Amino acid sequence: MPGSFEGVGGAGLEWLAEVKRRYGWKVCCEVATPSHVEACLKAGIDMVWLGARTTANPFQVQELAESLRGVQMPVFVKNPVSHDLNLWCGAVERLAKCGVTQIGAIHRGESSSSSLEYRNDPAWDLAIEFHSRCPEITLLCDPSHITGKAESVPELSQRAINIGFDGLMVEVPNNPSEALSDAAQQLSPEEFSRMLKTLVVRDGGSSDEDFTRHLEQL
């Protein structure tokens, strides 16, 4: 919303670059305009993602795809805010047609006007259908945005693993209580560490088989 915290701009890229230099970690940033892409490339960002509201606009996705033409970096696409599989798959296709070869997807649930247990409707069926149509695409789950509540993140993370997601995207700031946005859904580093120790990942499990089994149950 206008007037609310909307990020720190270019300073954030400098912080990510410092993290990369200091710890050797890969860093990732959301992009919504070609100028964002240009700034990320200049800062040496390793990966980018398209947000849910960006994915919902095919014209905006096309502009971003063109700006990423010839760029060799992983690009992730969040599902759109509405239940629209074609928009999600279409965004992936637009990137692929512009020569982006390292494409992944992130499922963050979908907005709903109904009263729900979580912030977003988990809409697991949308993720399962996406995997059925695009089985070659790495698919992550964003339990933080689905639930909106930190205490539910471990539960939803385990559910995503059971379904067969390839990984998780979890919000973990140093001090969640001081976060300027989405504080209620964020884990502290200590809570995140405890969650990782409790998650059960089945050895030898097949993601394709897991997704197929859940698809058959819909």
Side-chain angles (χ1 to χ4, degrees), residues 38 62 66 68 81 90 93 98 111 121 146 153 155 204 211 218:
E38 182 180 356
Q62 186 62 42
E66 293 289 350
L68 287 161
V81 292
E93 184 177 347
C98 283
S111 300
D121 183 341
I146 290 177
V153 170
E155 166 203 339
F211 270 105
L218 293 179

Side-chain angles (χ1 to χ4, degrees), residues 83-161:
H83 196 97
D84 197 320
L85 181 63
N86 288 332
L87 275 177
W88 198 5
C89 293
V92 169
E93 184 177 347
R94 288 177 187 278
L95 289 167
K97 285 186 174 181
C98 283
V100 179
T101 59
Q102 301 178 66
I103 304 174
I106 303 169
H107 179 64
R108 45 82 77 193
E110 61 188 37
S111 300
S112 174
S113 59
S114 303
S115 177
L116 301 170
E117 178 183 0
Y118 306 120
R119 173 185 178 181
N120 289 335
D121 183 341
W124 299 117
D125 58 321
L126 179 66
I128 293 169
E129 290 285 2
F130 176 88
H131 178 77
S132 178
R133 188 181 295 190
C134 306
E136 75 285 358
I137 300 294
T138 296
L139 183 56
L140 309 182
C141 179
D142 179 351
S144 301
H145 269 83
I146 290 177
T147 176
K149 299 179 292 186
E151 61 268 24
S152 299
V153 170
E155 166 203 339
L156 285 175
S157 295
Q158 186 64 64
R159 178 71 186 278
I161 290 172

Side-chain angles (χ1 to χ4, degrees), residues 163-213:
I163 290 175
F165 280 81
D166 298 300
L168 303 170
M169 182 181 192
V170 181
E171 293 187 31
V172 189
N174 283 335
N175 300 295
S177 63
E178 298 178 9
L180 298 179
S181 65
D182 293 337
Q185 67 192 39
Q186 298 171 0
L187 300 182
S188 69
E190 294 76 19
E191 291 170 331
F192 181 61
S193 178
R194 286 197 296 270
M195 184 186 81
L196 291 181
K197 293 175 181 177
T198 61
L199 292 178
V200 178
V201 181
R202 194 171 65 251
D203 290 337
S206 168
S207 176
D208 288 340
E209 291 177 359
D210 290 337
F211 270 105
T212 299
R213 174 167 50 82

